Amino acid sequence: MKRETVRENPFARPLINLAFPPEIGGMEEALNIQSRRQRWNFPMVMVSDQARGGISFGPFTFVPGERLLTKEGVPVELGARALDILIALLSRPNEVISKKDLMARVWPDVRVEEGSLRFHMASLRKALGDGRNGARYITTLAGQGYCFVAPVSRAPGAPDLPRATETIPYANLPARLNRMVGRDADVVQLAKQLIASRIVTIVGAGGVGKTTVAIAVAHHLKEVFANSILFVDLGMLNDPKLAPTAVASMLGQSVQSDDATPSLVAFLRSRRILLILDTCEHLVDAVAPLAANIIEAAPQVHILATSREALRIESEQIYRLDALACPPDNPAVSAAELGKFPATQLFVERALASGARFDLGEAEAAIVADICRKLDGVALSIELAARRVESHGLQQTAKLLDQHLAWLWQGSRSAPPRQRTLRATLEWSHGLLSELERVVLRRLAVFVGPFTLDAALDVVTCTKLDRSEVFDAIDNLVAKSMLVSRPIGAMMRYRLLDTTRAYVLGASQDPAEEADLAARHATYYRRWLEQTGNEWENLPTGAQRAPYFAGLNNVRAALEWCFRENGNRSIGVDLAAAATPVFLAMSLLVECQRWSELALLTLVDQRRGGQEEMHLQAGLGISLLFTQGNSDRVHAALTRSLSIAEDGGDAFHISAMLSMLHLYHLRNGDYRLALECAERSSSLASTHDDAMLRTLANALLGISRHLVGDLPGARGALEAALENEASSALAGAVYFGFDHLSLARASLATTLWLQGYPVQACELALEAIHRAEGMKHPVSLVIALTALITLLWLDELDAAEHHLSWFVARAETQYFAPYVDVGHGLQAELAIRRGDVEAVQQLISCLDRLHTAHYERFTVRFSLMIARSFAATGRLTEGITLVDNTIRLVQSKGGIPYTPELLRLKGSILLKMPKPRIKEAETCFMQSLEFSRAQGLRAWELRTATEFAAHWANQGRVEDARTLLRPVFEQFTEGFDAPDLQTAKSLLTALG
């Protein structure tokens, strides 16, 4: 082989021989020594000279197997070239080695000048202390060469040093990628393992990037192995017997027998080389014994293998290479954050390199993230898809991917045939499976996303497959990287990559077998829902939710099959009934409505009146209530579910349906009917020794009593509900999609404000809002509404505006039309309070839409604000008419706490008439005060007393004004910075 002349830089930083623990083996690239030692966490340790079979001279010991030189047990830092010179001299002590031979030994295949040899020889002598204090190790013979002259002793078992002729001139390491995305940590960790254990197998699914990473690791360790690295692509072989022959021939060895293993092992025995065996999976039975023989007989050979399954030999370390990290499916993640994930980085880089031109804005980043998730972060799949962007654009590429037209997309021409298309990659992997493994894989494709081993054994097992066969097949499929295994929670989960699943589902399957499999799958997940039913209401947050949502995805897939044309609708009814409480608990209201409706339409007469119909009617009624508002259909569904529960004596479900009907009447503005539901719930709770039923009944009673004007009774019930919160099963629970305790907290805040405790009210309101904003359920909107009202009564306008923005955004996201109108109405009210009287028209429009949706919960409040706006703009007669109509509405349906404020507002308008109607206005003020005192509504009493006193003061009745206002003001014990109290105090000061 031709040798190339290279001029080395004698002033370049020398490579250092790092000292590692015995188990690591003393090989490391020496540039940036300190930073690498820190990164790999390799400690500097004292080395036992005698324990390693070393070669000793003077105070020094050289351990050949580790390329480690120590002085009295302390590692000596020595450059790789200088160490090679020492090895050459030690291999022939007391013999003269010519400069030419030394250079050929140290720089194989490269011609260097003699100055480089002199430079590294000087470094070696300096490290040895040669010539100092009488020490003599290396002698220079002019015109001849160098000779190692110190006495040498060899410990028992020390290996022979390789002779100068034993080099590897056939290194063929492929070039590494200019930039490798997301694999730096893998390369460092693999290099560490390879140095420590000598044989590592990179295991992973097809196309995940095993070969790319292996080549990068080899480049990372080039200096450690002095470029003696051999890359063997076994993917081109079909005959297992040819594996040893292929390696031997690439090393330039003549193969003269059927089994090349003995001669290959003999050749490698004394050589130091990194051997990369790429794509071993189809030859694993032949490669495994070959690798084992080499590792055992050749102590300086290290092997890095890539395979879709492990070699399973002694000393092998397995490094499972995962797919590239993909962004989460979260619309809130910004384009900048999406661009930080390795999968999206790879896609964008490859797309731009292929000639595509696009700006990665928010919309484009979301499409890229979606593509990467669909491709499971598999590097090959991402690269193939990215190449299409230049010709199809981002959106069309994503659509083609959904249509499975990506199977035949062509990749790089330089790629192996098995990696030029997705289909080729999957066919290669599928072809390596046994027939049993293929059958089990096909049946496992019924699962969507992660599944447990118990689920697989229960669903996949059939008359032709017993559990032991399925278990063994799953084990093998994981080993062959056809199944991904990963712990989620406390249990291991398995899943097929989406591309693998789509490929398997595309294969032909017997319709009868498919139907049986789908039925078993649906039945299993019905049982799973029944077993986990009580856990959903108190579902943990974060990663602990993952197992539940993985199961829910399979429930969805099973429902789709059940209600398909050839599905099993009977199983579908059972599954939908079991799923409705879960859909409600997770706020999946649209899904809950869809499956409840389909199941009820399918339900035969023989099954009506049972548990299934009870749950389905509840699911339909509640989902419609939140998404479409009050309607006869909602009332009919809730009433039917309640009737079935009462016939069956199901106290839990009776309580749940009473709470939903209670909410229905609240939204309708029928507060007395809501109180009837609350009293029925209380009566039910009194007959059962159940803390949850009592807590729920108290919450409903408190909310209803507040609205019919019984504030002391409301406060007592609400405080009782919250006192039992810690011990009740309702604590933190979403009970049929509703968090009654949080709503009780918000209602108590309003009650406390009306009773004259503004500080406590504000604290409770903010607590309720913060809890609501942390929830993922529609009830959070109801809670936020109730608490926001309190903030507005307190004139905490800035705080109300901040939280109102969250409320409206969430209502719009969830498509909860009534709440959107309420939110816009409150925003209009806020604008009116700040002086924008033009906002009244927006408020009127919102109120009209709420009337249409039969959502009357805020009719009185919004009417109050509209009347105030009318008065401010001179529309006095319209204002009085609206107030009178609203008072009649309150008297007919409830909402008593608003009556004093309505009377005060009417009196205020009467005083503003062109001809003030003073006596009538004073009558309204007196009625407002009497009503406030009778109901304990101190907040309204203060407002009316302040306005009445100001009116009397203007008429010269100062003493009467002071006598009226002072005792009302002195009832308050807190919140003196509140606007109403500040106004009253200022007036009292003015009155003397």
Side-chain angles (χ1 to χ4, degrees):
M1 184 176 292
K2 183 179 180 181
R3 300 175 65 184
E4 182 181 354
T5 302
V6 177
R7 182 185 298 274
E8 285 202 340
N9 179 4
F11 299 102
R13 180 177 179 182
L15 298 176
I16 307 300
N17 178 36
L18 295 185
F20 299 106
E23 68 273 17
I24 290 176
M27 294 183 293
E28 163 64 348
E29 185 179 3
L31 293 174
N32 303 320
I33 171 175
Q34 188 59 35
S35 64
R36 290 208 176 165
R37 183 174 291 128
Q38 292 171 352
R39 184 169 72 232
W40 286 8
N41 197 27
F42 287 163
M44 180 73 77
V45 299
M46 297 296 290
V47 182
S48 172
D49 293 343
Q50 301 301 321
R52 305 185 186 178
I55 300 171
S56 301
F57 55 92
F60 296 95
T61 299
F62 175 65
V63 182
E66 301 177 17
R67 286 176 60 84
L68 176 64
L69 180 67
T70 65
K71 182 178 182 180
E72 296 176 345
V74 178
V76 177
E77 293 187 348
L78 195 61
R81 302 297 190 191
L83 187 61
D84 287 338
I85 294 172
L86 177 61
I87 293 172
L89 295 172
L90 284 174
S91 68
R92 294 161 59 184
N94 298 312
E95 292 184 30
V96 177
I97 302 178
S98 69
K99 295 176 183 179
K100 180 180 178 181
D101 287 345
L102 272 178
M103 287 190 290
R105 170 71 178 272
V106 177
W107 289 274
D109 306 317
V110 178
R111 188 180 300 279
V112 298
E113 296 183 352
E114 191 174 317
S116 296
L117 177 62
R118 289 197 299 270
F119 173 78
H120 291 294
M121 182 66 75
S123 297
L124 174 60
R125 280 176 160 160
K126 181 178 179 181
L128 296 177
D130 196 10
R132 294 198 298 267
N133 301 321
R136 174 59 60 191
Y137 300 104
I138 302 170
T139 298
T140 303
L141 283 81
Q144 297 184 52
Y146 299 93
C147 179
F148 194 89
V149 296
V152 174
S153 63
R154 187 184 304 275
D160 294 333
L161 291 173
R163 303 292 292 179
T165 57
E166 296 176 340
T167 60
I168 303 295
Y170 299 99
N172 65 337
L173 180 61
R176 68 182 300 172
L177 293 177
N178 291 332
R179 172 170 153 74
M180 186 173 58
V181 178
R183 295 302 191 191
D184 291 345
D186 295 304
V187 170
V188 171
Q189 183 63 24
L190 273 163
K192 175 182 175 180
Q193 285 191 6
L194 187 58
I195 288 171
S197 65
R198 291 183 54 222
I199 178 165
V200 177
T201 303
I202 304 174
V203 176
V208 79
K210 299 183 294 296
T211 301
T212 299
V213 171
I215 292 171
V217 171
H219 279 277
H220 190 75
L221 296 175
K222 278 176 65 175
E223 293 295 337
V224 173
F225 289 95
N227 291 319
S228 292
I229 300 173
L230 186 72
F231 181 88
V232 183
D233 182 4
L234 296 174
M236 306 303 292
L237 296 180
N238 292 321
D239 188 348
K241 296 178 181 178
L242 295 179
T245 303
V247 178
S249 62
M250 293 187 70
L251 287 169
Q253 297 302 296
S254 174
V255 179
Q256 300 178 0
S257 66
D258 291 338
D259 185 4
T261 301
S263 60
L264 174 60
V265 170
F267 177 79
L268 293 173
R269 191 182 307 278
S270 60
R271 285 173 170 78
R272 173 175 171 70
I273 181 174
L274 171 59
L275 185 60
I276 301 176
L277 302 178
D278 186 50
T279 314
C280 299
E281 57 266 10
H282 62 305
L283 305 176
V284 67
D285 290 336
V287 174
L290 172 65
N293 285 332
I294 293 173
I295 289 297
E296 181 180 358
Q300 295 189 81
V301 175
H302 291 236
I303 297 177
L304 180 61
T306 72
S307 179
R308 301 185 193 185
E309 66 173 306
L311 302 182
R312 289 185 289 181
I313 62 174
E314 190 175 352
S315 302
E316 177 191 27
Q317 293 290 312
I318 299 171
Y319 190 93
R320 191 162 290 278
L321 191 65
D322 292 328
L324 296 173
C326 294
D329 188 5
N330 184 355
V333 180
S334 66
E337 290 297 319
L338 292 174
K340 294 178 181 179
F341 287 86
T344 52
Q345 288 178 5
L346 178 64
F347 184 93
V348 172
E349 286 191 10
R350 296 298 184 265
L352 294 175
S354 298
R357 295 292 179 267
F358 59 91
D359 295 323
L360 198 66
E362 298 295 332
E364 292 80 8
I367 296 173
V368 170
D370 187 51
I371 290 173
C372 291
R373 282 193 299 271
K374 288 177 181 176
L375 296 174
D376 292 298
V378 176
L380 174 64
S381 303
I382 290 172
E383 292 189 14
L384 291 174
R387 287 174 179 269
R388 309 277 79 77
V389 176
E390 191 273 334
S391 55
H392 300 304
L394 267 177
Q395 287 188 336
Q396 188 63 26
T397 299
K399 289 180 180 179
L400 292 173
L401 199 63
D402 287 336
Q403 298 166 13
H404 303 303
L405 297 180
W407 295 119
L408 298 177
W409 284 349
Q410 293 293 318
S412 172
R413 288 190 177 90
S414 62
R418 66 182 181 279
Q419 292 186 348
R420 289 180 186 169
T421 67
L422 281 179
R423 180 176 293 279
T425 298
L426 292 167
E427 286 177 347
W428 170 272
S429 300
H430 195 258
L432 299 175
L433 304 179
S434 68
E435 184 57 32
L436 173 63
E437 291 163 353
R438 291 174 188 168
V439 170
V440 171
L441 182 67
R442 185 173 66 245
R443 292 178 69 83
L444 287 173
V446 71
F447 291 101
V448 177
F451 54 88
T452 64
L453 182 60
D454 286 342
L457 293 175
D458 199 79
V459 173
V460 174
T461 302
C462 61
T463 54
K464 298 179 181 179
L465 287 172
D466 62 34
R467 292 174 68 88
S468 62
E469 288 179 311
V470 174
F471 184 89
D472 290 341
I474 289 175
D475 202 25
N476 292 336
L477 289 170
V478 171
K480 294 179 179 181
S481 303
M482 294 299 288
L483 269 182
V484 177
S485 62
R486 183 173 289 112
I488 300 178
M491 189 177 295
M492 186 67 72
R493 256 69 178 184
Y494 304 85
R495 68 179 288 258
L496 278 73
L497 296 181
D498 287 347
T499 49
T500 304
R501 182 172 182 266
Y503 172 81
V504 173
L505 289 175
S508 60
Q509 187 169 338
D510 178 53
E513 180 186 357
E514 182 180 0
D516 175 70
L517 181 64
R520 294 175 67 91
H521 177 258
T523 302
Y524 174 85
Y525 279 100
R526 176 186 58 78
R527 291 199 305 269
W528 175 77
L529 286 171
E530 293 169 350
Q531 292 166 2
T532 61
N534 294 330
E535 301 171 18
W536 291 88
E537 292 167 358
N538 293 285
L539 198 60
T541 58
Q544 294 172 299
R545 285 175 171 242
Y548 294 88
F549 285 106
L552 198 56
N553 286 333
N554 279 282
V555 171
R556 292 186 177 104
L559 284 168
E560 291 285 357
W561 175 80
C562 287
F563 291 101
R564 201 183 297 165
E565 183 178 353
N566 296 321
N568 189 319
R569 297 194 171 222
S570 177
I571 295 177
V573 169
D574 294 334
L575 183 59
T580 48
V582 173
F583 285 138
L584 290 174
M586 293 294 98
S587 294
L588 301 169
L589 300 180
V590 175
E591 289 185 81
C592 185
Q593 177 190 340
R594 177 193 176 194
W595 298 119
S596 297
E597 283 181 318
L598 278 173
L600 286 169
L601 289 172
T602 304
L603 198 63
V604 296
D605 291 340
Q606 293 85 342
R607 300 187 65 182
R608 293 195 178 274
Q611 291 282 318
E612 294 81 9
E613 186 188 1
M614 182 181 75
H615 286 294
L616 293 170
Q617 294 283 9
L620 178 62
I622 296 170
S623 57
L624 287 173
L625 177 68
F626 281 113
T627 57
Q628 298 181 21
N630 282 20
S631 67
D632 293 340
R633 191 179 178 201
V634 170
H635 187 265
L638 295 177
T639 303
R640 173 61 178 165
S641 185
L642 173 62
S643 175
I644 296 172
E646 288 176 332
D647 289 344
D650 188 336
F652 173 86
H653 200 86
I654 294 171
S655 177
M657 289 305 96
L658 285 172
S659 72
M660 289 298 106
L661 284 166
H662 174 268
L663 178 61
Y664 174 87
H665 293 309
L666 286 183
R667 293 173 60 149
N668 237 13
D670 293 325
Y671 302 127
R672 291 191 179 89
L673 291 177
L675 180 59
E676 289 180 12
C677 289
E679 290 172 341
R680 289 176 65 184
S681 178
S682 179
S683 176
L684 175 69
S686 66
T687 62
H688 292 75
D689 185 18
D690 190 299
M692 182 176 67
L693 294 180
R694 287 196 302 272
T695 302
L696 178 59
N698 279 325
L700 299 181
L701 276 175
I703 294 167
S704 300
R705 286 173 177 171
H706 165 91
L707 291 168
V708 297
D710 180 10
L711 262 64
R715 182 175 177 180
L718 292 170
E719 288 179 342
L722 294 175
E723 283 175 5
N724 295 327
E725 180 177 13
S727 60
S728 171
L730 268 179
V734 178
Y735 187 67
F736 267 75
F738 209 82
D739 181 4
H740 291 81
L741 286 180
S742 291
L743 183 58
R745 183 176 285 102
S747 297
L748 181 58
T750 305
T751 300
L752 288 170
W753 179 78
L754 288 169
Q755 289 187 317
Y757 301 100
V759 174
Q760 297 177 56
C762 188
E763 290 175 353
L764 263 181
L766 288 173
E767 180 184 349
I769 289 173
H770 290 145
R771 286 168 66 103
E773 291 177 349
M775 293 175 64
K776 305 297 182 184
H777 303 277
V779 68
S780 61
L781 299 174
V782 182
I783 298 164
L785 271 180
T786 308
L788 277 167
I789 290 171
T790 304
L791 291 183
L792 287 170
W793 288 138
L794 287 162
D795 280 337
E796 294 286 346
L797 303 187
D798 291 339
E801 182 178 29
H802 171 74
H803 295 294
L804 191 54
S805 298
W806 169 87
F807 170 85
V808 172
R810 180 151 177 78
E812 289 175 340
T813 300
Q814 296 287 347
Y815 303 105
F816 295 155
Y819 292 155
V820 173
D821 290 326
V822 171
H824 289 158
L826 290 174
Q827 288 177 328
E829 177 185 334
L830 192 61
I832 293 170
R833 283 175 175 271
R834 286 175 167 163
D836 181 10
V837 293
E838 299 296 328
V840 69
Q841 193 55 50
Q842 177 186 343
L843 185 55
I844 292 172
S845 298
C846 290
L847 186 55
D848 288 342
R849 288 194 294 272
L850 290 171
H851 286 324
T852 302
H854 304 289
Y855 193 104
E856 305 296 343
R857 176 72 174 82
F858 293 91
T859 295
V860 176
R861 178 184 185 85
F862 286 165
S863 295
L864 263 170
M865 189 53 56
I866 293 169
R868 281 179 58 177
S869 183
F870 283 167
T873 56
R875 299 166 64 178
L876 303 176
T877 303
E878 291 178 83
I880 289 176
T881 301
L882 180 57
V883 169
D884 287 340
N885 291 337
T886 306
I887 290 174
R888 283 193 292 271
L889 177 66
V890 168
Q891 290 172 345
S892 66
K893 288 193 172 185
I896 300 300
Y898 289 98
T899 301
E901 179 69 353
L902 286 165
L903 290 168
R904 182 198 67 78
L905 180 58
K906 182 177 179 181
S908 178
I909 297 173
L910 289 169
L911 290 176
K912 293 178 181 179
M913 300 290 283
K915 290 183 179 181
R917 294 152 61 174
I918 295 175
K919 287 189 178 294
E920 198 175 341
E922 289 180 348
T923 300
C924 287
F925 289 147
M926 292 300 297
Q927 289 175 345
S928 176
L929 289 173
E930 290 171 2
F931 206 103
S932 297
R933 290 164 184 163
Q935 301 295 328
L937 301 168
R938 290 177 183 169
W940 297 142
E941 184 184 5
L942 180 67
R943 284 192 179 184
T944 302
T946 302
E947 187 162 357
F948 201 179
H951 164 66
W952 275 349
N954 289 334
Q955 292 187 322
R957 299 173 60 180
V958 175
E959 184 61 31
D960 289 341
R962 186 167 52 244
T963 302
L964 169 66
L965 183 57
R966 183 178 297 279
V968 177
F969 179 81
E970 288 177 348
Q971 293 179 93
F972 287 82
T973 58
E974 64 178 51
F976 294 103
D977 292 333
D980 287 347
L981 283 163
Q982 287 280 0
T983 302
K985 183 179 179 181
S986 297
L987 180 57
L988 282 172
T989 301
L991 294 173

